[in-house]
């Protein structure tokens, strides 16, 4: 299953990933991204990749 | 209906790049060509006034698409050749190098250009839009001489903050009394003026510029009240205009951008889409045509256009809640919705100093939440964005915001 990776150092709290996939990404009180899941089913890959690409600082990736 | 065979995307910045990526993730298997005027590989713009200008990020860090990644996606790059003409009847685009590209669908993503400086000097006066602009400005900012920024909007304010961080003496000039006030209202706008002042950056707001003369390292900016400001470097940040000149004789409806329907399709031109800063589309929730110069809108509209090309029987509307961020000094500023159309706002949290963490929440006669401006408080921004998408009342939004951990009553 595709695995999600978040670079919490790079994250700037812009929040675009959450708008793209609020069931996968959230933000903590300090404004840093939180992964709600570590893996997503293959069938969800396109949607989650799209949400990852909406990150302005490329802090998110979907890996195999 | 079947998706077309060749998609030509014109404009190789964030809207164009995200469009070709989305075409592939939507399952498009035809030919994809990405055309760009600049010879560089696609790069991102927001860092050009922030991390890149400050020298924290290099060119690799602002890259949007590498040649390897383009090859993996089977996207043909045609960089260094501007599109000069769009032939709707013949379904071709003519490039500056004399070649033509045939398309079954065309995506126009040529963005916007910085409004040029009305004052002409041999050197030392900059705009910031392209990587080359930022590199040239960065070189001049290394000279220890005062900097004058003309225009106190987002880009002007960011460049002022960055120049200040590099140790320069900075003055920001704008004919408006509270430049960011145009977006957030005059009262909230004052906090952004105070932000400059707290860092020792001078503001000359409510005064225009009469002339700029001299050359790099030895410029003089004369204001309309007669003040003369000496400067080594001048940055002019007075807005942007859409790159739609090449479409003037195409037959497309072009009026401050390419006019589109709610599906990002150019009106009266089947199979032509416009996205990003170039597009003026019918926003279904606002019931009017809008053109938005925000990064997130460029990405979202590009994805909608790609989806609609690949799934013509399942058209998606582009109905985003507006969102933009700006990083200035020690403040992370985020704006969602349309504060400029609101009539009333309330402040939550703290709006003073380095430890500021607050929100301005906007409404109008309808009693609905209309927008929010947050400072150093991404959690509140995400909440407001979600509530705006759901269509919540102002009262409900205030209750939920006040329940967030960092909310301190003012
Ligand atoms: C310095 C700066 C800082 C910014 N900061 C922020 C920020 O913090 N937050 C935010 O939300 N937004 C920010 N923005 C705005 C954001 O970057 C833009 O909304 C976004 O770049 C729009 O993308 P686009 O692809 O539509 O257009 P553009 O980025 O303008 O790209 C258009 C591309 O098309 C090419 N092109 C033009 N004409 C032709 C032609 N005839 N043929 C072929 N190619 C052509 C251009 O060379 C360019 O590569 C900033 C912009 C700038 C300049
Ligand atoms: S979009 Fe990127 S920067 Fe924004 S919260 Fe998500 S990971 Fe962080």
């Amino acid at each position: 299953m595709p695995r999600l990776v978040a670079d919490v150092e790079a994250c700037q709290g812009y929040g675009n990933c959450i708008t793209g996939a609020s069931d996968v990404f959230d933000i903590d009180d300090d404004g840093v991204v939180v992964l709600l899941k570590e893996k997503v089913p293959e069938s969800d890959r396109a949607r989650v990749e799209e949400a990852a690409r909406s990150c302005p600082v490329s802090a998110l990736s979907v890996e195999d | 209906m079947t998706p077309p065979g060749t998609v030509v995307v014109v404009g190789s910045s964030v809207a164009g790049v995200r469009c070709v990526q989305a075409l592939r993730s939507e399952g498009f298997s035809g030919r994809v060509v990405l055309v760009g005027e600049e010879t560089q590989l696609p790069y991102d713009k927001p860092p050009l006034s922030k991390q890149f200008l400050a020298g924290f990020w290099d060119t690799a860090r602002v890259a949007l698409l590498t040649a390897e990644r383009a090859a993996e996606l089977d996207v043909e790059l045609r960089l260094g050749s501007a599109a000069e003409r769009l032939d709707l009847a013949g379904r071709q685009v003519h490039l500056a190098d004399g070649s033509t590209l045939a398309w079954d669908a065309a995506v126009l993503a040529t963005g916007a250009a910085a409004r040029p400086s009305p004052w002409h000097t041999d050197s030392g006066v900059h705009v910031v839009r392209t990587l080359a602009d930022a590199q040239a400005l960065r070189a001049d900012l290394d000279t220890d001489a005062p900097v004058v920024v003309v225009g106190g909007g987002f880009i002007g304010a960011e460049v002022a903050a960055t120049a200040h961080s590099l140790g320069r003496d900075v003055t920001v000039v704008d004919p408006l009394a509270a430049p960011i006030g145009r977006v957030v209202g005059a009262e909230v706008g004052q906090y952004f003026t105070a932000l400059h002042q707290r860092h020792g950056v001078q503001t000359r707001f409510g005064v225009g510029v009469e002339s700029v003369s001299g050359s790099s390292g030895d410029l003089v900016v004369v204001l309309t009240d007669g003040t003369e400001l000496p400067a080594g470097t001048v940055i002019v940040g007075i807005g942007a205009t859409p790159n739609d000149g090449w479409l003037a004789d195409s037959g497309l409806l072009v009026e401050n951008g390419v006019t589109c329907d709610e599906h990002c399709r150019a009106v009266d031109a089947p199979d032509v889409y416009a996205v990003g800063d170039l597009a003026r589309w019918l926003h279904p929730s606002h019931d009017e045509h809008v053109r938005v110069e925000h990064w997130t809108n460029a990405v979202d509209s590009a994805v909608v256009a790609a989806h609609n090309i690949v799934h013509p029987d399942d058209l998606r509307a582009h109905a985003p809640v507006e969102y933009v961020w700006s990083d200035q000094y020690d403040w992370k500023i985020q704006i969602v919705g349309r504060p400029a159309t609101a009539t009333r706002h309330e402040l939550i949290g703290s709006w003073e100093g380095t430890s500021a963490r607050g929100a301005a929440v906007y409404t109008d006669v309808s009693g609905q939440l209309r927008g929010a401006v947050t400072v150093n408080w991404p959690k509140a921004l995400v909440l407001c964005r979600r509530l705006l998408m759901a269509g919540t009342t102002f009262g409900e939004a205030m209750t939920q915001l006040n329940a967030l951990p960092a909310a301190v009553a003012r």
Side-chain angles (χ1 to χ4, degrees), chain A residues 12-16 18-19 26-29 31 46 50 53-57, chain B residues 18 21-22 25 295-296 303 323 325 327 332 334 357 378-379 385-386 389 405:
Chain A
Q12 293 292 315
Y14 292 134
N16 283 354
I18 300 157
T19 306
D26 199 0
I27 200 163
D28 68 14
D29 292 336
E50 212 120 86
R53 276 201 300 271
S54 74
C55 174
V57 289
Chain B
R18 288 295 185 265
Q21 291 171 323
S25 48
W295 192 94
T296 304
V303 171
Y323 170 59
W325 71 90
D327 302 319
K332 181 191 297 296
Q334 295 171 291
R357 186 170 167 103
K379 183 92 181 167
R385 208 170 165 186
R386 196 178 285 157
M389 283 191 270

Side-chain angles (χ1 to χ4, degrees), chain B residues 28-359:
Chain B
F28 182 73
S29 57
R31 182 177 179 218
V32 176
V33 189
L34 181 63
V35 178
E37 173 171 30
E38 294 167 82
T39 44
Q40 288 106 321
L41 281 162
Y43 58 85
D44 209 9
K45 295 199 166 67
L48 300 183
S49 50
K50 313 178 183 75
Q51 302 94 332
F52 182 82
L53 189 62
F56 297 143
W57 288 11
D58 60 6
T59 44
R61 188 75 174 81
V62 298
L64 281 171
L65 184 71
T66 62
E68 298 74 54
R69 191 69 197 117
E72 274 167 36
L73 288 170
D74 193 17
V75 168
E76 290 171 46
L77 294 177
R78 293 290 294 269
L79 302 178
S81 198
E84 286 193 327
R85 198 165 69 80
L86 183 72
D87 173 3
L88 289 179
R91 292 178 165 253
Q92 288 187 327
V93 56
H94 296 258
L95 306 188
D97 64 7
S99 63
T100 55
L101 286 166
W103 46 264
D104 298 294
V107 181
L108 313 178
T110 51
R115 189 166 283 133
S117 166
W119 309 284
H120 303 285
T121 60
D122 292 338
S123 57
V125 177
H126 297 260
V127 295
V128 192
R129 182 81 200 178
T130 65
L131 185 63
D133 291 341
Q135 284 165 330
L137 172 59
R138 175 58 218 233
D140 273 9
L141 286 180
D142 281 336
T143 311
D144 185 11
V147 169
V148 173
V149 179
V150 182
F154 290 111
I155 290 181
E158 289 181 351
V159 169
T162 303
H164 169 78
S165 76
L166 294 170
R168 301 289 80 84
D169 235 323
V170 184
T171 305
V172 188
V173 184
D174 196 295
L176 295 180
I180 306 256
R182 201 170 31 201
V183 182
V184 300
E187 193 199 327
V188 178
Q190 298 301 331
Y191 291 101
F192 296 101
T193 304
L195 177 61
H196 288 297
Q197 293 163 350
R198 173 162 61 84
H199 288 88
V201 165
Q202 313 267 351
T203 54
R204 297 301 309 268
F205 291 166
V207 191
V209 171
E210 189 68 51
S211 67
V212 182
S213 56
S215 58
S216 182
D218 185 21
L219 296 156
V220 179
V221 180
V222 180
L223 306 186
T224 47
D225 66 0
T227 314
E228 292 189 6
L229 302 173
T233 304
V234 172
I235 298 101
V236 179
I238 53 173
T241 52
N243 288 322
D244 56 14
W246 70 284
L247 296 163
D249 63 355
S250 64
L252 291 178
L253 184 58
V254 176
E255 274 174 337
N256 177 29
V258 175
T259 310
C260 294
D261 67 11
E262 69 269 38
H263 300 117
C264 301
R265 298 180 300 190
V267 292
D268 301 328
D271 305 317
V272 176
Y273 295 74
V275 295
D277 284 11
L278 177 70
R280 206 167 57 80
W281 88 102
L282 180 63
H283 192 304
S285 330
H286 304 333
D287 221 12
E288 60 177 343
H289 286 86
V290 291
R291 194 173 71 77
V292 173
E293 293 177 354
H294 299 164
W295 192 94
T296 304
N297 178 64
V299 171
D300 291 349
S301 59
V303 171
V304 167
H307 172 90
N308 290 345
I309 290 170
V310 182
H311 303 286
D313 298 322
D314 172 30
L315 293 179
R316 217 184 262 173
H318 180 45
V321 168
E322 290 73 7
Y323 170 59
V324 63
W325 71 90
S326 176
D327 302 319
Q328 300 171 23
Y329 308 98
D330 45 10
W331 278 17
K332 181 191 297 296
I333 300 153
Q334 295 171 291
I335 303 176
V336 66
R338 304 176 104 191
T341 65
T343 50
R344 192 169 77 81
H345 72 270
E346 279 185 33
L347 296 174
I348 308 180
S350 155
W351 279 77
E352 314 285 343
T354 312
S355 57
R357 186 170 167 103

Side-chain angles (χ1 to χ4, degrees), chain A:
Chain A
M1 276 205 298
R3 201 167 60 86
L4 303 176
V5 181
D7 180 346
V8 293
E9 295 293 312
C11 173
Q12 293 292 315
Y14 292 134
N16 283 354
C17 55
I18 300 157
T19 306
S22 59
D23 55 324
V24 180
F25 304 107
D26 199 0
I27 200 163
D28 68 14
D29 292 336
D30 297 323
V32 178
V33 66
V34 177
L35 296 179
L36 301 177
K37 298 176 182 167
E38 286 187 346
K39 292 181 172 181
V40 292
E42 189 60 44
S43 58
D44 229 8
R45 178 194 284 268
R47 184 181 68 99
V48 176
E49 276 183 352
E50 212 120 86
R53 276 201 300 271
S54 74
C55 174
V57 289
S58 309
L60 301 170
S61 51
V62 181
E63 296 181 356
D64 288 303

